[in-house]
Each structure stands twice: as structure tokens, then as C-alpha cells.
Amino acid sequence: MKKVRDDYPIELSVVSPMYNEEGVIEESVRGLAEAIAKLGVSWELILVNDGSTDNTATIIEQTAGEDERIQVVSYKRNRGRGYALRSGFNASRGKYVITTESDLTWGKEIIEKLYNELIESEADIVIASPYAKGGRLENVPAKRALLSRMGNEILKRTVPAPISMLSGMTRGYKGNIIRSLPLEQDRKEIHLEIVSKCVMLGLEFSEVPAVLKWQKPEKAGPKRKSKFKAGKLIKSHLLFSMFEAPAMLFGTLGFALLIVGAVFGLHLAAEYFIRGEVIGDRIIFILVTIFLLSSGFTMFLFCFFAYQIKTLQTELFKTQLLLHKKCSGEISNR
């Protein structure tokens, strides 16, 4: 077995949240444990039961009883993926932490790929992406695939991280970093929150190509109710990204309004000064031009203040992180 640094009880923690997965969870947990054990390092598998209302809790408790390296974190009320992940991070002890879905849609081999990339690249966060070169989607419905692809393209322009997949949960982290981040999001926005805060701190990213494979209906086992709510997810992610990068959103819109307003204004000026035409009767055209120019200027002014606020937010977050580390004893008070 590989030697682990003295200040880490174990080498690898794998965190897997779940909600109402009774139809597949026993097989999935055994598959995850088998994949982790093949690495030949000390490990723990942390199963987070996010308030399941079926028999998920009972099944994972029974499975965990067969191996002391499998731990269960469970609570009665469904709190969301973000809360579940935060609970798993807090319970983890590994030098490295990997998170992945409990239904093995990324395959068992993704654990080894993420772990090896963490070791070899020495990156602080490693993302599994079906959009990286060599990755792909399999059996994913066309509508869901399109929404995911388009959504991540938009998110890449609001959160400046050098990765192609910002919304996925399957990732690897340095344990001391992910446990020290002050995280607040209770739902899937936590994926963006983590990336955004890692960008603020100037941490290193890496990415591995991965295959996201949905099981075909005839092989999927007992049918589970989908927890994917497209409209709600799109709205929440866009709102989050808007507040993360208001300068990009409003700056682009403001620039567009200024361009259109300038074109209208030049047209009016040309008619009056060059052609000598009277433009006083074009009051609506004039008002629209004034509106476009004033709106564009206002948005640019907003962008200036938004940039200042974003800079202040970054400094406040760094201070918050420093205080968090001091309170947890990671940094000496001297």
C-alpha cells in the first residue's frame, strides 16, 4: 500500500450523495468500493443520504456494515446536492477528495482517472468532462445533451475557468482546499460556487476527458423518477452566473445599445447637417436614440461599479477563508 503523508489519516476520500436510489444503490456502492480498492491506497467511501424517502438509507447502512471503510452521512429532510456535498466534505479525511454520482453514470474507471490526474498534474481541482477532447456523451437524450452543452458554453463566459464543464459534480480536489472553502450553496449551484471561488484564489485547474453514459431503459433496472428540472436549473444557474460576472452580461448589452444608439444618432446628424433636412418631426426616432445612448452609458457605469464590487468580494472571500483556516487550526495565530 502506498505511503500517506503523516498529517492525513488516509489518502483518498470518495464522496457520493444520493436521493431515492434504492433501485440501483447497492450495486453502485459495491462497484464504487471495488474501483477505489483497485488503486492500492488507503481510502474511505462517504455515502451521503440526502433525506431519501424510500429504502436508500437502509440499504446503504447494511452495505456500509460490511466494510468499515464505507461511511454513511444521513439526515431526514432533503436539503439538496450542495448541502449533501458540504456534509460529505466535512466528514472526509483524505489527502484527496473525489466526488461522483451514485448511479455510476460516469463509470467506475473515472475514480482512477481523477486520482491519477490529481497526483500527476498537482492541480488543486480536476474536472471530469465529456466536452474535453476524448470525452463524449452516450445515450443522453438530445434535449438534455443540448441544454448541457449550451449551458456550459454560457457559463464558461461568466466564470473564467480553463475548463469545459462547470456544472458537473464528478471532480477531484486536494482535500485541504475543498474542506477549507467557505461554501454556502445548498443546491446544484455549488458546482459553480466552487469553481468561482477557486478562480478567485488563483488555484490550478485540470481536466480529464470522460464518458457520461446513461443506461438504456431496458438495462436501467427499476424506473426512477427524474430529479432533473430543466427550467428551474437553467434559471438558477443563469442567475448565479449573472451575479458572478455582471460586468460581462451588462457590459455586452450596454456596448450593443451604445452601438445602435450611435448609428441612429449618426443617421440623424447626417440628415440634418449634410442633407439639410428638418428632423424635428421625427420625435420618436430621436427619443429612441436618446434612450439607447443613455441606457448604454448607464450600463457601462454599472459595469464599472460592478467590477469594483467584484474586486471587493474577492478580497472579502480571501479574508473569510483566512479566518476559517485560523478558526479550524490550519494556520497558527502567531
Side-chain angles (χ1 to χ4, degrees):
M1 182 172 290
K2 298 178 183 178
K3 187 178 179 180
V4 184
R5 266 175 42 182
D6 294 337
D7 51 346
Y8 292 100
I10 58 173
E11 175 79 353
L12 178 63
S13 299
V14 176
V15 176
S16 185
M18 58 200 64
Y19 174 69
N20 287 354
E21 303 283 353
E22 65 175 8
V24 298
I25 196 58
E26 183 176 358
E27 181 181 353
S28 296
V29 169
R30 296 185 190 282
L32 277 174
E34 178 185 341
I36 304 168
K38 286 182 179 179
L39 297 176
V41 300
S42 57
W43 60 274
E44 65 180 351
L45 173 57
I46 301 173
L47 308 174
V48 184
N49 172 42
D50 185 23
S52 297
T53 57
D54 61 2
N55 292 320
T56 296
T58 301
I59 294 172
I60 61 175
E61 288 285 358
Q62 292 173 347
T63 307
E66 301 171 6
D67 192 326
E68 62 180 9
R69 294 169 296 186
I70 301 177
Q71 309 296 325
V72 175
V73 175
S74 188
Y75 40 89
K76 292 184 178 181
R77 183 165 67 90
N78 179 244
R79 305 291 296 270
R81 181 182 290 181
Y83 187 92
L85 284 174
R86 284 161 39 209
S87 299
F89 294 148
N90 291 336
S92 69
R93 301 172 296 150
K95 178 180 178 182
Y96 301 102
V97 176
I98 289 175
T99 58
T100 192
E101 277 82 350
S102 60
D103 57 7
L104 297 181
T105 51
W106 295 85
K108 292 185 290 186
E109 66 281 356
I110 194 61
I111 302 295
E112 182 176 3
K113 291 182 71 174
L114 288 170
Y115 175 72
N116 288 339
E117 183 66 15
L118 282 166
I119 300 296
E120 294 167 8
S121 70
E122 298 185 352
D124 301 298
I125 172 173
V126 176
I127 309 290
S129 174
Y131 308 126
K133 186 177 181 180
R136 65 185 184 278
L137 300 174
E138 291 187 8
N139 303 329
V140 178
K143 179 181 177 181
R144 178 74 178 270
L146 180 62
L147 286 173
S148 175
R149 172 77 73 171
M150 292 178 61
N152 278 283
E153 286 296 323
I154 294 172
L155 293 173
K156 281 194 299 183
R157 287 158 175 77
T158 60
V159 181
I163 52 178
S164 59
M165 180 75 164
L166 284 83
S167 60
M169 181 177 70
T170 299
R171 300 171 174 178
Y173 306 94
K174 286 183 178 177
N176 62 330
I177 288 177
I178 194 60
R179 284 189 290 268
S180 67
L181 284 181
L183 301 173
E184 302 172 352
Q185 296 296 320
D186 281 345
R187 302 197 178 276
K188 292 184 179 181
E189 292 79 24
I190 194 172
H191 307 315
L192 301 179
E193 181 187 13
I194 291 172
V195 172
S196 175
K197 289 182 174 179
C198 287
V199 169
M200 287 184 194
L201 295 172
L203 301 181
E204 293 294 324
F205 288 80
S206 185
E207 196 169 55
V208 296
V211 178
L212 175 57
K213 182 177 181 180
W214 284 24
Q215 291 185 337
K216 293 182 179 180
E218 63 270 15
K219 297 181 180 181
K223 188 175 181 180
R224 296 175 291 157
K225 184 179 179 180
S226 174
K227 298 179 282 293
F228 177 70
K229 305 295 181 183
K232 183 177 180 180
L233 191 64
I234 291 171
K235 181 172 70 174
S236 63
H237 277 55
L238 287 179
L239 283 173
F240 183 92
S241 61
M242 181 186 74
F243 285 109
E244 284 297 295
M248 188 283 295
L249 178 66
F250 290 100
T252 302
L253 183 56
F255 181 74
L257 291 176
L258 277 177
I259 291 295
V260 176
V263 171
F264 281 21
L266 289 172
H267 177 72
L268 287 171
E271 287 192 340
Y272 180 75
F273 291 107
I274 298 176
R275 300 176 186 172
E277 297 182 9
V278 178
I279 61 173
D281 58 344
R282 301 186 182 182
I283 186 63
I284 295 180
F285 197 81
I286 294 173
L287 290 175
V288 169
T289 302
I290 294 172
F291 170 78
L292 290 171
L293 291 172
S294 60
S295 297
F297 177 76
T298 300
M299 288 188 177
F300 265 113
L301 189 63
F302 172 82
C303 287
F304 172 77
F305 289 112
Y307 178 79
Q308 299 301 319
I309 292 171
K310 185 65 178 177
T311 302
L312 179 60
Q313 180 192 31
T314 299
E315 294 306 315
L316 287 173
F317 170 67
K318 289 180 179 179
T319 303
Q320 181 186 17
L321 179 61
L322 182 63
L323 290 172
H324 177 82
K325 286 185 174 181
K326 282 190 174 181
C327 291
S328 63
E330 292 182 41
I331 298 179
S332 172
N333 288 320
R334 290 180 297 174

